[in-house]
Amino acid sequence: MEGRIILIALGILIFLSVIFNEFLVSFNLIEFFFTVIFLGSGLTFFRKRNVGTLGSLIFGIILLLDTFQLFPTSLNFWELVLLMIASYIIAVGFKGLFHIRKPHLKINKSIISENLPPKFTGNILDLSTDVDWSSLNIDSSKIDTPVKVKAVIDNDIYSFRQEHDTSKVDIFNKLKISNVKVPERAKITVYLNENIYYNYRAELNVSTAFFDLRQIKTREVRIKSTASKITLIPSQKDNTSVDVDSEVSSINIKLPQDVALVLNHIGDLNFKNFGRMYQREDGTYVSDNFSEASYTCYLNISSEISHLNVEFI
């Protein structure tokens, strides 16, 4: 903003000085005006630490010295223009010599670790996650509660909250509407109890997700994804039904050797790789280990301009 004001004011000064031969302009008054502007912009160098603010600081000092006639001779307009150019050249040179950088800004981060819900009844939990611009991991762990959440969140960028009752846990991490910065991804890990059954719903917006469900008893999994990257490993402890609604996303299914996959897909894919799968008469795809697999993952995908890959691990 300061740079634009300086350019506008400088253009007006040049126009009036050349066209009207300084008839309407008091040069000393204008010089003092620019002294204030350049020094005001230049003093922010100690906070912003960049070439522009250093150049403004150097030129502002020159204007201040000339305004109070501290040079041996008074400088005319064109000499000041050359000195302004020289000030920014010197600033660029200092950057090369001393690597001028912005100071490290303190980030208002929260490190969250909670066990949920505190009072759990029954053996089935409904879990949901709704996240923006986050790195989300779902994994199993030998924990006493159904869910353990660990997260690193920048409070200036995200609004993070959790809701729960005796049989449900909802986790939200949404971008604040007032935020104008390009955010660093939040990091969220959710650990699930290996002895509890889960119904899981995930909403992902411009996020990266890794769902390792191998040791988790999942009954139903529903994923809605927009511009995200998803890696899913199905459960090796129970048959699982997975529904994916994908818009411009990348989906990678990693199958354990003892888990079969039945895939039903509708919509558009810009790339697909269905290795070790064959298509049945009804249009569904089945993995070649279907007859000997211990469990089966029934995967239904509705997609628009997405990438789908199936591989065995």
Side-chain angles (χ1 to χ4, degrees):
M1 179 63 71
E2 295 92 341
R4 294 175 183 176
I5 293 173
I6 290 171
L7 288 175
I8 292 171
L10 182 59
I12 294 173
L13 176 60
I14 293 173
F15 179 82
L16 294 176
S17 298
V18 174
I19 302 300
F20 296 100
N21 197 24
E22 300 182 6
F23 177 71
L24 299 176
V25 182
S26 171
F27 186 78
N28 289 334
L29 180 61
I30 294 296
E31 184 177 19
F32 179 74
F33 170 71
F34 273 96
T35 299
V36 174
I37 290 180
F38 276 94
L39 279 179
S41 175
L43 288 174
T44 62
F45 166 74
F46 300 101
R47 178 170 55 90
K48 295 184 178 180
R49 299 288 180 88
N50 57 38
V51 171
T53 56
L54 179 58
S56 297
L57 180 62
I58 295 172
F59 187 57
I61 294 172
I62 292 173
L63 286 176
L64 183 65
L65 294 175
D66 187 60
T67 300
F68 291 98
Q69 298 180 351
L70 299 178
F71 286 122
T73 59
S74 181
L75 301 173
N76 62 37
F77 172 78
W78 299 111
E79 289 173 331
L80 288 174
V81 171
L82 290 175
L83 287 174
M84 182 184 69
I85 297 171
S87 298
Y88 286 97
I89 292 174
I90 292 171
V92 173
F94 273 117
K95 178 185 178 182
L97 287 176
F98 300 107
H99 302 289
I100 297 172
R101 297 176 182 173
K102 291 184 180 180
H104 177 70
L105 299 178
K106 185 178 179 181
I107 299 176
N108 184 21
K109 281 188 177 180
S110 288
I111 300 176
I112 300 164
S113 180
E114 292 190 23
N115 294 302
L116 300 171
K119 296 181 180 179
F120 174 66
T121 59
N123 64 346
I124 300 177
L125 182 86
D126 292 329
L127 171 67
S128 71
T129 56
D130 185 354
V131 300
D132 296 339
W133 200 273
S134 300
S135 177
L136 174 64
N137 292 328
I138 303 293
D139 203 350
S140 61
S141 179
K142 297 185 182 300
I143 54 178
D144 295 328
T145 55
V147 177
K148 182 172 184 177
V149 181
K150 289 187 175 181
V152 179
I153 307 294
D154 187 338
N155 295 323
D156 293 332
I157 298 175
Y158 299 97
S159 175
F160 181 86
R161 77 180 194 275
Q162 305 167 34
E163 299 175 357
H164 58 82
D165 58 26
T166 56
S167 62
K168 182 177 70 172
V169 173
D170 298 325
I171 299 169
F172 303 89
N173 188 51
K174 308 300 288 182
L175 286 170
K176 293 182 178 179
I177 297 176
S178 60
N179 173 59
V180 296
K181 297 186 292 184
V182 177
E184 176 186 353
R185 286 191 188 277
K187 296 178 176 60
I188 304 170
T189 302
V190 180
Y191 297 100
L192 304 183
N193 193 309
E194 297 177 359
N195 299 315
I196 296 174
Y197 288 95
Y198 293 89
N199 294 318
Y200 177 49
R201 179 178 59 85
E203 292 193 23
L204 305 167
N205 183 32
V206 198
S207 297
T208 300
F210 186 82
F211 300 143
D212 188 349
L213 308 180
R214 280 175 289 188
Q215 301 304 312
I216 300 172
K217 299 175 181 178
T218 52
R219 293 289 178 84
E220 291 185 356
V221 177
R222 297 179 182 273
I223 301 171
K224 185 175 182 181
S225 169
T226 302
S228 297
K229 181 178 181 181
I230 303 168
T231 299
L232 172 68
I233 306 178
S235 173
Q236 290 179 279
K237 286 193 168 186
D238 199 0
N239 295 328
T240 306
S241 174
V242 180
D243 295 329
V244 180
D245 183 359
S246 170
E247 294 183 8
V248 197
S249 295
S250 174
I251 306 164
N252 187 29
I253 308 298
K254 294 189 175 184
L255 280 178
Q257 294 295 329
D258 61 344
V259 178
L261 179 67
V262 177
L263 171 63
N264 181 35
H265 170 259
I266 58 174
D268 297 326
L269 290 173
N270 60 1
F271 178 82
K272 62 182 180 180
N273 178 23
F274 298 164
R276 293 181 56 181
M277 301 191 69
Y278 61 92
Q279 190 171 18
R280 299 191 295 194
E281 293 182 357
D282 60 359
T284 60
Y285 291 85
V286 178
S287 59
D288 61 5
N289 65 338
F290 182 79
S291 58
E292 65 268 14
S294 302
Y295 299 103
T296 302
C297 174
Y298 298 91
L299 177 61
N300 302 301
I301 295 182
S302 174
S303 66
E304 293 183 11
I305 317 176
S306 294
H307 173 121
L308 176 61
N309 179 64
V310 178
E311 61 179 293
F312 284 80
I313 57 175

